[in-house]
Amino acid sequence: MHQLQSTDPVVPSEASEPLEEARGKLGRAIVLTSGKGGVGKTTTTANLGTALALRGASVVMIDADIGLRNLDIVLGLESRVKHHLLDVLEERVEVGDALVADKHTESLFLLAAAQSREKDEVETAKMQALVTKLRERFDYVLIDSPAGIELGFRNAVAGADEAIVVCTPEVAAVRDVDRVVGLLGNRFRPQLVINRLRPQLVQKGKMLSVDDVNAILRLPLLGVIADEPEIIVTTNRGEPLALRATTPTGAAYHAIAARIAGEDVAAPMPPAARVPLFERLGSLLGGKRR
Amino acid sequence: MIEFLKRLFGPQGSSATAKERLRLVLMTDHLELAPEMIETMKRDLVDVISRFVEVDREKIDVTFERQDRTLAMLANIPILGVSRPSPNGNGVHKVEEAAPSEAPAAATPAASKPPVRKRRKRKKTQAHAQAPAPLPAQ
């Protein structure tokens, strides 16, 4: 097991061989999905992949958003992508040759999406077979699903055996997650990550709270990620925030990763979201409306 | 005081609006996604009503409509015939199997009878939402 890295990125060992040996048991294949676009699936995938790998697990992330490749950008790997998912599915390239080693975190790999192709060019059965193959060699296969509920989504889901749904505290996002959860059915036991919560707005009654969202969705809550400017900054740089475990948001990703790994850790909440009643009472007594 | 309670119970900002919209939109979504449930309900509904009046099963129309803060089920059920009121005059209790020829003036021919609109509120939670006034009034 690695220690959690606080500030410095881990330098990957030279010549990582992702597929050197088959492991005894199958790893877990988890699809990250949401229905609605723009809620942070890709950022969540990159950060959870990083956090899980920093825990010492071997992780491969598949960008299943064919035609709209993003995960490589968030990870800062865009210049290293030589082959993509469809190259592998159409058997032009061995999967081992298409995997890109992350530049910050050891034992973290990316299988990029094809940028110049379309989602319905993927054969569901082949996708399924690929995920199974990867599960033989990695502890975690994280599949970053495209937005929508069409074929691209179904392909992303095909090989997975678990699902994480990413939702922002917005009417449209909750509605879409509700729909996606209905489509996933019971097989996946979907777990929820609430993303982009702004505690101050929740306190002021201007944003749906965690309880509001989950009163409707009623899903096991993995954790809540606050809407922090530093997420934008780290995305600009191509360095997932999970590399900095000492930042509150970085720590939240690590807590979620720990929960995914089965550790008995509390679901992370943005700090200010814990005191709304106190604050509300304060503003009541003070008589001023925030 | 009311203002105080309002502040204490439930946010009055736009999140309350969001919550309300979400609740309604999901009810509508779930209904849309369960057509067979609606068919079953329609059938059961007609079975119950048929115990009292004779209805035109072919022309039943059930729709759902957003109304301000509630979702209403609107059932348009054409009535073909109504049997004689019971002796105590408290209304119709039993259908006397389709006997329009013997029916008194009350049971006019089906064609001239306007369809009856039955209105039902769905969703028991948030019972206050059925009241016309939003939340604690005043």
Side-chain angles (χ1 to χ4, degrees):
Chain A
M1 281 281 164
H2 290 260
Q3 286 282 313
L4 290 190
Q5 301 297 311
S6 52
T7 46
D8 294 330
V10 180
V11 180
S13 60
E14 284 301 305
S16 310
E17 272 299 325
L19 301 178
E20 55 194 307
E21 64 192 49
R23 301 157 346 106
K25 63 176 174 61
L26 287 182
R28 293 164 62 185
I30 308 175
V31 62
L32 285 95
T33 187
S34 66
K36 188 177 176 301
V39 298
K41 279 182 299 294
T42 301
T43 309
T44 307
T45 306
N47 278 289
L48 292 183
T50 298
L52 285 167
L54 287 173
R55 292 174 57 83
S58 58
V59 181
V60 61
M61 298 169 288
I62 302 177
D63 188 348
D65 200 349
I66 315 274
L68 294 169
R69 180 159 99 201
N70 286 153
L71 191 50
D72 54 336
I73 303 278
V74 176
L75 292 158
L77 297 175
E78 65 274 18
S79 62
R80 301 188 181 192
V81 174
K82 299 280 180 285
H83 305 288
H84 53 67
L85 178 58
L86 277 175
D87 288 334
V88 177
L89 293 177
E90 291 166 358
E91 294 169 12
R92 281 187 297 275
V93 172
E94 277 297 309
V95 61
D97 296 330
L99 295 181
V100 182
D102 187 60
K103 58 181 175 188
H104 302 292
T105 312
E106 209 178 344
S107 73
L108 179 63
F109 295 86
L110 167 70
L111 180 51
Q115 180 66 353
S116 56
R117 303 285 295 271
E118 290 187 12
K119 292 178 179 61
D120 44 14
E121 293 180 62
V122 175
E123 270 181 57
T124 309
K126 286 191 172 170
M127 183 73 179
Q128 223 162 352
L130 172 67
V131 172
T132 305
K133 192 172 175 185
L134 289 169
R135 285 176 67 190
E136 288 165 7
R137 289 151 171 99
F138 289 91
D139 296 322
Y140 293 96
V141 182
L142 301 186
I143 305 154
D144 183 17
S145 152
I149 52 173
E150 300 80 14
L151 190 57
F153 160 77
R154 294 203 299 273
N155 284 332
V157 160
D161 55 349
E162 295 171 59
I164 293 174
V165 289
V166 182
C167 188
T168 53
E170 297 165 286
V171 178
V174 178
R175 180 195 207 179
D176 287 3
V177 164
D178 178 77
R179 179 90 170 92
V180 159
V181 168
L183 288 173
L184 285 171
N186 292 330
R187 181 165 81 86
F188 290 91
R189 303 183 308 280
Q191 294 185 282
L192 175 68
V193 169
I194 296 180
N195 199 23
R196 302 237 182 95
L197 187 94
R198 298 174 73 171
Q200 288 76 15
L201 287 189
V202 174
Q203 278 167 20
K204 291 177 194 169
K206 292 180 178 175
M207 183 179 252
L208 292 173
S209 69
V210 171
D211 289 347
D212 291 340
V213 172
N214 220 9
I216 284 163
L217 296 178
R218 297 171 188 279
L219 295 172
L221 181 67
L222 275 175
V224 181
I225 302 292
D227 190 19
E228 292 287 349
E230 51 187 347
I231 293 184
I232 296 170
V233 174
T234 52
T235 307
N236 287 344
R237 294 200 179 119
E239 296 167 358
L241 199 45
L243 291 170
R244 289 186 264 146
T246 50
T247 61
T249 308
Y253 283 122
H254 281 275
I256 293 175
R259 286 169 67 77
I260 293 171
E263 262 181 51
D264 189 13
V265 180
M269 297 279 182
R274 286 192 185 143
V275 289
L277 183 62
F278 179 79
E279 291 261 328
R280 201 184 289 170
L281 281 174
S283 72
L284 273 175
L285 299 174
K288 78 172 178 298
R289 203 78 185 93
R290 286 154 55 87
Chain B
M1 187 59 194
I2 295 286
E3 191 58 28
F4 179 88
L5 288 175
K6 265 193 185 178
R7 281 192 202 173
L8 195 63
F9 298 108
Q12 293 300 299
S14 56
S15 80
T17 315
K19 218 156 56 173
E20 194 60 28
R21 292 178 63 209
L22 195 49
R23 193 177 66 83
L24 283 172
V25 88
L26 286 181
M27 280 201 282
T28 325
D29 284 0
H30 293 171
L31 283 172
E32 249 175 65
L33 292 170
E36 63 294 332
M37 184 269 279
I38 292 173
E39 279 311 309
T40 312
M41 182 177 63
K42 228 194 255 188
R43 209 175 48 232
D44 290 359
L45 190 64
V46 171
D47 285 347
V48 170
I49 294 169
S50 297
R51 279 161 43 199
F52 303 94
V53 292
E54 192 195 346
V55 301
D56 187 348
R57 285 182 174 261
E58 301 308 308
K59 299 209 174 107
I60 286 158
D61 180 33
V62 173
T63 54
F64 295 89
E65 201 178 284
R66 286 274 297 269
Q67 296 180 335
D68 197 20
R69 305 191 58 197
T70 59
L71 183 68
M73 187 178 97
L74 305 176
N76 198 333
I77 305 172
I79 294 181
L80 294 175
V82 180
S83 62
R84 183 188 300 114
S86 63
N88 60 19
N90 283 343
V92 179
H93 285 280
K94 195 169 175 248
V95 176
E96 285 167 15
E97 280 312 327
S101 56
E102 290 177 26
T108 49
S112 65
K113 196 93 178 170
V116 172
R117 264 204 153 191
K118 299 215 176 240
R119 212 166 250 222
R120 261 144 226 251
K121 298 267 157 105
R122 225 190 135 261
K123 187 88 178 177
K124 276 157 233 135
T125 57
Q126 299 219 359
H128 67 271
Q130 296 185 8
L135 291 176
Q138 287 151 26

